[in-house]
Amino acid sequence: MLNKWLFTRIDNSALIVFRILFGLLLAIEAIGAIFTGWIRRAFIEPEFTFNFIGFDFLQPLPGNGMLWYYAIMGLFGIFVMLGFKYRLSIFMYTIMWAAVYLMQKSSYNNHYYLLMLLCFLMILLPAHRYASIDVWKKPELKKLSMPSWVWLLLVGQMTIVYTYAAVAKIYPDWFDASLPGILMTARRDYWLIGDFLQQTWVHYTIAWFGFLFDLLIIPLLLWKRTRIFAFLAAVFFHLFNSLIFHIGIFPYLALAFTIFFFPTEKINRIFLRKKPHYSGNEVEVPEYKTPLLVFFGIWFVVQLALPVRHWFFKDDVLWTEEGHRLSWRMMLRSKSGRIQFKVVDKARPQDTIFVQTSQYLSPKQQRAVSTKPDMIWQFSQRLEEEFELTGKEVEIYVDSKVSVNGRPYQPFIDPKVDLAAKKWNHFGHHDWILPSSIE
């Protein structure tokens, strides 16, 4: 039964078309980052970047190096689209994208994480076996089919993403529409639709439609009777998100993914008219069966475990941020903070310096560092290193207050704790984060 489930040969048209769309979107993501000025704001203008802790060795290239870096990534994206040296091209894009993802988190986005995961999975998939330069140069690569585990792997991954996104929305600030209201307030000045987005009924519609969409989109796409309605809902949902939230290629990537739910005969008629349809349905058990099962087990255990790890940390993740990243908790809170860093010379305690973060950080970094404990800790470590270069041993104290979803500001970081002397713990709660009173 397992062999039939994983190794039945099925038509590969969906994978081929997805590869073409995926490669195009990879190129747009990289090249778009150049022309929108995002690279300059994220990597060139800041004095330093907030990398994922433990990845300090990943630093931006000097000068305009990151512009060339992204241009090369864009080229690899085009190669993926064309199916030119496919395995090498998608591998290189994956490595380069993972590096920039881990290099900075001031512009953290769960969609960037998803793109890294999908790039890695695409390395493993035979997405270049039709309509590719690789096949044109080496015709024996040509295939009309793929093993069914390819479909299961991609659909399984996206099911996890959507399901956890729905579960994360089950909390009061989402369902009473207060958070959607806050998010829409920031869009008040949008041309034509700004005032419309301020309506209370719109906020409730966003809350419930967003929850039900994430929860039901995969089952509804799987069921033939509801597939077309689910697809139309997906078009509306993702285009709305693209228009309102400006979240890059993700809405279009999600729409490209829906191709895996439609009959391959229809895909051929629309996208690959010259491709014969495969309907053999043979079961071919490969030599790599055992490694594949091990990979499936490890991959999905990790993907299921990471999003729930915040339940094992003390206090509310909305407050502490511990366990927030890599968890599909998308657009679930609005936070603002006020922060002051105090540097005390150990040799002359009376010599106290209050640091102006604007002298070190970009406006976006200032907003991020005011509400995220790991970045507060990293900046404290950075300040300590800077003063050490002048021959001073210092202590770093932080006076911080944070507001979550429009609530009153509360003390956030214990002002009596020297953060320069603290170690970072990836797997435990940090007691210098003061308890919250989020209800």
Side-chain angles (χ1 to χ4, degrees), residues 85-216:
K85 296 189 180 299
Y86 170 74
R87 300 282 191 191
L88 175 63
S89 297
I90 188 62
F91 175 80
M92 291 304 300
Y93 196 103
T94 303
I95 294 298
M96 296 180 76
W97 181 261
V100 294
Y101 172 80
L102 297 169
M103 193 184 296
Q104 71 83 32
K105 54 190 176 186
S106 299
S107 298
Y108 176 83
N109 192 318
N110 264 307
H111 305 145
Y112 299 159
Y113 170 52
L114 175 62
L115 190 58
M116 183 171 65
L117 295 181
L118 290 179
C119 281
F120 174 75
L121 294 181
M122 289 295 285
I123 296 174
L124 308 178
L125 307 185
H128 61 312
R129 293 302 188 98
Y130 194 87
S132 69
I133 294 177
D134 287 351
V135 165
W136 177 66
K137 294 178 67 176
K138 194 175 181 181
E140 58 267 32
L141 288 174
K142 187 175 181 178
K143 291 279 188 181
L144 302 179
S145 66
M146 64 184 183
S148 52
W149 64 259
V150 171
W151 186 92
L152 290 169
L153 180 62
L154 290 173
V155 172
Q157 178 61 60
M158 293 303 292
T159 300
I160 289 173
V161 173
Y162 280 116
T163 302
Y164 276 121
V167 171
K169 290 180 173 65
I170 304 176
Y171 85 107
D173 289 6
W174 185 263
F175 284 117
D176 69 9
S178 59
L179 178 60
I182 292 172
L183 296 177
M184 292 306 106
T185 298
R187 280 87 186 161
R188 185 184 298 276
D189 294 332
Y190 278 19
W191 177 75
L192 192 63
I193 60 173
D195 291 338
F196 171 76
L197 294 175
Q198 308 313 310
Q199 305 298 314
T200 301
W201 71 268
V202 173
H203 304 161
Y204 276 99
T205 301
I206 291 171
W208 281 98
F209 185 78
F211 169 72
L212 292 174
F213 179 87
D214 287 341
L215 184 66
L216 299 175

Side-chain angles (χ1 to χ4, degrees), residues 119-352:
C119 281
F120 174 75
L121 294 181
M122 289 295 285
I123 296 174
L124 308 178
L125 307 185
H128 61 312
R129 293 302 188 98
Y130 194 87
S132 69
I133 294 177
D134 287 351
V135 165
W136 177 66
K137 294 178 67 176
K138 194 175 181 181
E140 58 267 32
L141 288 174
K142 187 175 181 178
K143 291 279 188 181
L144 302 179
S145 66
M146 64 184 183
S148 52
W149 64 259
V150 171
W151 186 92
L152 290 169
L153 180 62
L154 290 173
V155 172
Q157 178 61 60
M158 293 303 292
T159 300
I160 289 173
V161 173
Y162 280 116
T163 302
Y164 276 121
V167 171
K169 290 180 173 65
I170 304 176
Y171 85 107
D173 289 6
W174 185 263
F175 284 117
D176 69 9
S178 59
L179 178 60
I182 292 172
L183 296 177
M184 292 306 106
T185 298
R187 280 87 186 161
R188 185 184 298 276
D189 294 332
Y190 278 19
W191 177 75
L192 192 63
I193 60 173
D195 291 338
F196 171 76
L197 294 175
Q198 308 313 310
Q199 305 298 314
T200 301
W201 71 268
V202 173
H203 304 161
Y204 276 99
T205 301
I206 291 171
W208 281 98
F209 185 78
F211 169 72
L212 292 174
F213 179 87
D214 287 341
L215 184 66
L216 299 175
I217 185 60
I218 298 296
L220 293 178
L221 283 171
L222 285 170
W223 192 22
K224 182 178 179 180
R225 292 186 177 183
T226 55
R227 184 173 297 140
I228 188 61
F229 301 106
F231 175 72
L232 293 174
V235 171
F236 172 79
F237 178 80
H238 290 300
L239 291 184
F240 177 86
N241 283 342
S242 179
L243 174 66
I244 301 302
F245 297 111
H246 303 154
I247 49 178
I249 67 168
F250 173 73
Y252 308 98
L253 178 60
L255 288 175
F257 167 73
T258 62
I259 200 168
F260 286 100
F261 297 92
F262 287 92
T264 51
E265 297 93 336
K266 183 175 292 186
I267 296 171
N268 284 356
R269 286 199 304 270
I270 297 174
F271 298 104
L272 302 169
R273 293 187 178 183
K274 294 183 179 180
K275 180 180 181 294
H277 180 258
Y278 178 85
S279 56
N281 292 324
E282 302 97 347
V283 176
E284 296 181 6
V285 181
E287 295 181 357
Y288 59 77
K289 174 183 176 180
T290 299
L292 180 70
L293 292 177
V294 172
F295 170 77
F296 259 70
I298 295 174
W299 180 267
F300 283 111
V301 165
V302 171
Q303 291 301 310
L304 290 169
L306 277 177
V308 299
R309 71 192 188 282
H310 67 87
W311 291 109
F312 298 93
F313 288 97
K314 182 180 178 181
D315 215 329
D316 193 324
V317 63
L318 288 171
W319 176 254
T320 68
E321 297 284 317
E322 294 170 327
H324 171 79
R325 296 188 182 94
L326 320 183
S327 65
W328 315 122
R329 300 180 57 80
M330 296 176 274
M331 296 186 184
L332 288 177
R333 78 277 194 265
S334 174
K335 301 178 75 171
S336 58
R338 303 165 182 165
I339 195 164
Q340 178 92 73
F341 289 85
K342 182 172 71 173
V343 180
V344 178
D345 189 336
K346 291 183 179 180
R348 296 175 57 85
Q350 68 273 20
D351 291 348
T352 298

Side-chain angles (χ1 to χ4, degrees), residues 48 50-54 104-106 108 309 319-325 333 335 341 368-382 412-413 419 424-426 430 432-433:
F48 67 97
F50 289 91
N51 54 271
F52 276 67
I53 296 173
Q104 71 83 32
K105 54 190 176 186
S106 299
Y108 176 83
R309 71 192 188 282
W319 176 254
T320 68
E321 297 284 317
E322 294 170 327
H324 171 79
R325 296 188 182 94
R333 78 277 194 265
K335 301 178 75 171
F341 289 85
V369 83
S370 67
T371 61
K372 294 176 173 56
D374 58 333
M375 296 176 71
I376 292 173
W377 179 84
Q378 284 177 287
F379 188 60
S380 299
Q381 300 295 307
R382 171 84 178 196
F412 187 42
I413 304 297
L419 291 188
W424 184 259
N425 182 359
H426 288 280
H430 298 86
W432 41 266
I433 304 175

Side-chain angles (χ1 to χ4, degrees), residues 61-80:
L61 297 174
N64 291 326
M66 293 307 296
L67 295 174
W68 290 104
Y69 185 99
Y70 268 75
I72 294 171
M73 274 207 306
L75 185 61
F76 281 126
I78 293 173
F79 287 169
V80 170

Side-chain angles (χ1 to χ4, degrees), residues 173 182 319 334-338 400-412 435-439:
D173 289 6
I182 292 172
W319 176 254
S334 174
K335 301 178 75 171
S336 58
R338 303 165 182 165
S400 172
K401 293 183 178 180
V402 166
S403 168
V404 179
N405 294 346
R407 292 180 175 83
Y409 282 86
Q410 303 175 40
F412 187 42
S436 71
S437 59
I438 297 177
E439 298 177 355

Side-chain angles (χ1 to χ4, degrees), residues 376-394:
I376 292 173
W377 179 84
Q378 284 177 287
F379 188 60
S380 299
Q381 300 295 307
R382 171 84 178 196
L383 289 174
E384 182 196 26
E385 292 172 2
E386 182 174 294
F387 280 92
E388 277 185 352
L389 294 176
T390 66
K392 295 181 179 180
E393 292 188 24
V394 299

